[in-house]
Amino acid sequence: NSFCTLLCFSTRMQRSRLLAVSAAEHRQRTPTATPKLKATRLHGLHLSQRAKMAPYAGWSMPLQYEGMAAEHVHTRTKCSLFDVSHMGQVRFYGADRERFIERVTVADMGAMALGAGRLTVMLTDSAGVIDDTIVHKHSTHVSAVLNASRFGADIAHLTEMLSDFGGDVHMEIDASRSLIALQGPQSSIVLDRVAPGLSRLPYMAGTSARISGMDVAVSRSGYTGEDGFELSVKHSDAEALAQLFLKEPEVKQAGLGARNSLRVEAGFCLYGKELDENISINEARLMWLVSSRRRAEGGFLGHGPLMDEFADPHLKPMRRVGITSAGICARDGARVLIDGDAVGYVTSGCPSPSLKCNVAQAYIHVDHMGPGTKVELVAKEGRQPVAGEIVRLPFVPLRRTPRPAEGSLARAN
């Protein structure tokens, strides 16, 4: 009996182990369900143009059409249309809306004219960057465009800050609009042909307009280093507006691949590369975002630690620089060496269609950041480093219309 009992117990144990192994193998063989990607209202248009699509921040976005380099050059020389509808659009209303924006960002709302926009940042209490954003000042509200990769974190942070603020302000998330960017030296010619008069809009200024019967919010801004415009339009009108521009001979569609190489050449930061919650705007060399009044008066999250860093360069000694090189392109994460010693790391790198060399943004120790400094880049571990040189950012001249004098904008929205 004891033997039979032991045999039965042993058999049950073996069966249990086999079942456990079988279940484990099944889990390994069964692919993990991936969240369904969101699609912009121009998704069908992208597919009809044979765009190569790729996932980005939870969205299915066009990476390229005819090729990244060709789209890059076209943007630098003519005019490209980008779908940037994955980015978040929010508005703040209430009598204390500007005071709230000055609490959660470094923006100087008092110095902004109605209709003006500014690049700004939201900081942690230790001066790390939560996100960079563009805010526009309107007569009834303040609008902001948030990065898609940080939208959830931004909304959570803003909601928490609102609950602690106590003033007359509330936030509205606008999920009813698409965002299209028209970028390139001929963008003003194209826009003026489609909507006469809008090309007179100064850099970083915004206005509302009727374009072929569509209500459009227009700002003169972009992420390429070229002159350009960003147009916010109702989802139902997005494809009609895009097609209106694509009828013009100067305009071609461009994807996120070209948008990235264009912003690297222009020396612009990308969240998750040059900016994150462990990097300050002092390290990123973006202190120009903070006006003298805001530096002195503070009132924004992270003010104290940020000004401590600014006063002592070696408190956080890394600084963002540009590096040019030839040979193998150094991508993000590549080590930067001087005389064999590591002095920094690459955050973004790509071949430059404009300069015909490789360009990279990197963080370098403040003692070695001077332009003309010779460095070596470990483009591939285990291979000979490639020679590089630190240069001033941006790599290419920025083309922008003059910014208006404060208070001079004729139209407020």
Side-chain angles (χ1 to χ4, degrees):
N1 288 340
S2 297
F3 176 75
C4 289
T5 301
L6 181 61
L7 182 61
C8 289
F9 177 75
S10 177
T11 302
R12 285 197 300 269
M13 288 296 292
Q14 289 176 357
R15 186 181 294 116
S16 296
R17 283 196 294 268
L18 287 171
L19 288 172
V21 170
S22 178
E25 289 177 344
H26 177 73
R27 285 194 297 271
Q28 290 175 357
R29 288 195 300 266
T30 303
T32 304
T34 54
K36 184 177 180 180
L37 295 175
K38 292 175 281 188
T40 73
R41 292 304 176 95
L42 298 184
H43 187 77
L45 177 61
H46 302 319
L47 296 181
S48 72
Q49 298 300 311
R50 301 181 181 273
K52 180 179 180 181
M53 306 298 288
Y56 181 78
W59 292 80
S60 176
M61 297 298 294
L63 180 65
Q64 63 181 28
Y65 297 86
E66 59 179 291
M68 296 182 196
E71 292 162 28
H72 179 114
V73 172
H74 187 84
T75 308
R76 286 271 182 257
T77 56
K78 293 185 180 179
C79 180
S80 295
L81 185 143
F82 297 83
D83 179 9
V84 289
S85 304
H86 59 309
M87 302 185 76
Q89 300 182 58
V90 297
R91 294 191 182 96
F92 300 89
Y93 294 89
D96 297 317
R97 61 187 181 274
E98 292 184 18
R99 187 165 64 87
F100 175 74
I101 295 298
E102 289 203 348
R103 174 59 181 158
V104 296
T105 77
V106 303
D108 190 340
M109 297 301 297
M112 291 172 60
L114 287 175
R118 290 288 185 277
L119 174 66
T120 189
V121 287
M122 294 184 282
L123 304 182
T124 67
D125 54 8
S126 58
V129 180
I130 295 173
D131 201 6
D132 58 305
T133 179
I134 290 182
V135 297
H136 274 88
K137 181 175 179 176
H138 309 267
S139 58
T140 59
H141 64 280
V142 174
S143 62
V145 177
L146 308 175
N147 285 314
S149 64
R150 295 293 289 170
F151 187 72
D154 290 350
I155 295 301
H157 173 69
L158 290 166
T159 301
E160 182 180 357
M161 295 294 288
L162 281 166
S163 66
D164 295 335
F165 183 66
D168 177 19
V169 60
H170 68 276
M171 176 177 65
E172 293 185 4
I173 300 172
D174 192 348
S176 66
R177 302 181 74 84
S178 297
L179 193 61
I180 295 169
L182 197 65
Q183 300 285 296
Q186 296 182 359
S187 59
S188 62
I189 297 171
V190 171
L191 186 62
D192 206 44
R193 195 180 298 145
V194 171
L198 278 180
S199 65
R200 293 195 295 269
L201 199 66
Y203 176 64
M204 290 302 290
T207 189
S208 58
R210 292 278 291 176
I211 300 178
S212 293
M214 295 173 278
D215 292 319
V216 183
V218 185
S219 65
R220 194 162 201 160
S221 57
Y223 194 49
T224 63
E226 294 294 330
D227 188 17
F229 302 84
E230 293 184 331
L231 303 101
S232 174
V233 63
K234 291 178 182 178
H235 286 325
S236 56
D237 291 330
E239 184 165 351
L241 183 64
Q243 293 283 18
L244 192 64
F245 290 122
L246 290 171
K247 290 178 183 177
E248 300 302 318
E250 300 90 346
V251 183
K252 290 184 178 181
Q253 287 179 276
L256 294 187
R259 192 167 182 257
N260 184 64
S261 58
L262 289 159
R263 71 94 191 165
V264 172
E265 283 189 349
F268 295 159
C269 296
L270 174 64
Y271 196 92
K273 300 292 187 179
E274 288 72 43
L275 300 175
D276 62 35
E277 293 193 11
N278 296 310
I279 296 174
S280 73
I281 58 173
N282 189 51
E283 293 175 285
R285 302 175 80 180
L286 296 175
M287 284 298 291
W288 55 270
L289 295 176
V290 191
S291 69
S292 57
R293 178 182 75 82
R294 304 245 48 208
R295 294 186 192 194
E297 295 179 7
F300 57 84
L301 205 63
H303 172 257
L306 179 63
M307 297 315 296
D308 289 343
E309 283 185 41
F310 186 64
D312 182 358
H314 286 85
L315 195 60
K316 292 186 75 173
M318 305 301 280
R319 295 294 182 272
R320 184 171 63 97
V321 301
I323 298 176
T324 57
S325 65
I328 301 173
C329 182
R331 305 286 183 174
D332 57 305
R335 292 182 294 132
V336 183
L337 312 177
I338 295 180
D339 297 328
D341 295 325
V343 295
Y345 59 94
V346 171
T347 52
S348 296
C350 65
S352 167
S354 302
L355 302 179
K356 309 301 182 185
C357 67
N358 298 323
V359 295
Q361 294 189 44
Y363 278 94
I364 302 294
H365 193 279
V366 68
D367 293 340
H368 304 286
M369 61 180 280
T373 302
K374 304 298 182 182
V375 298
E376 290 182 316
L377 304 172
V378 185
K380 285 193 176 182
E381 292 292 339
R383 298 187 63 171
Q384 190 72 17
V386 298
E389 180 178 336
I390 295 178
V391 299
R392 296 184 186 277
L393 292 172
F395 295 101
V396 297
L398 303 183
R399 302 190 203 184
R400 294 169 173 169
T401 57
R403 188 189 296 273
E406 297 298 353
S408 67
L409 292 181
R411 183 170 185 177
N413 299 281

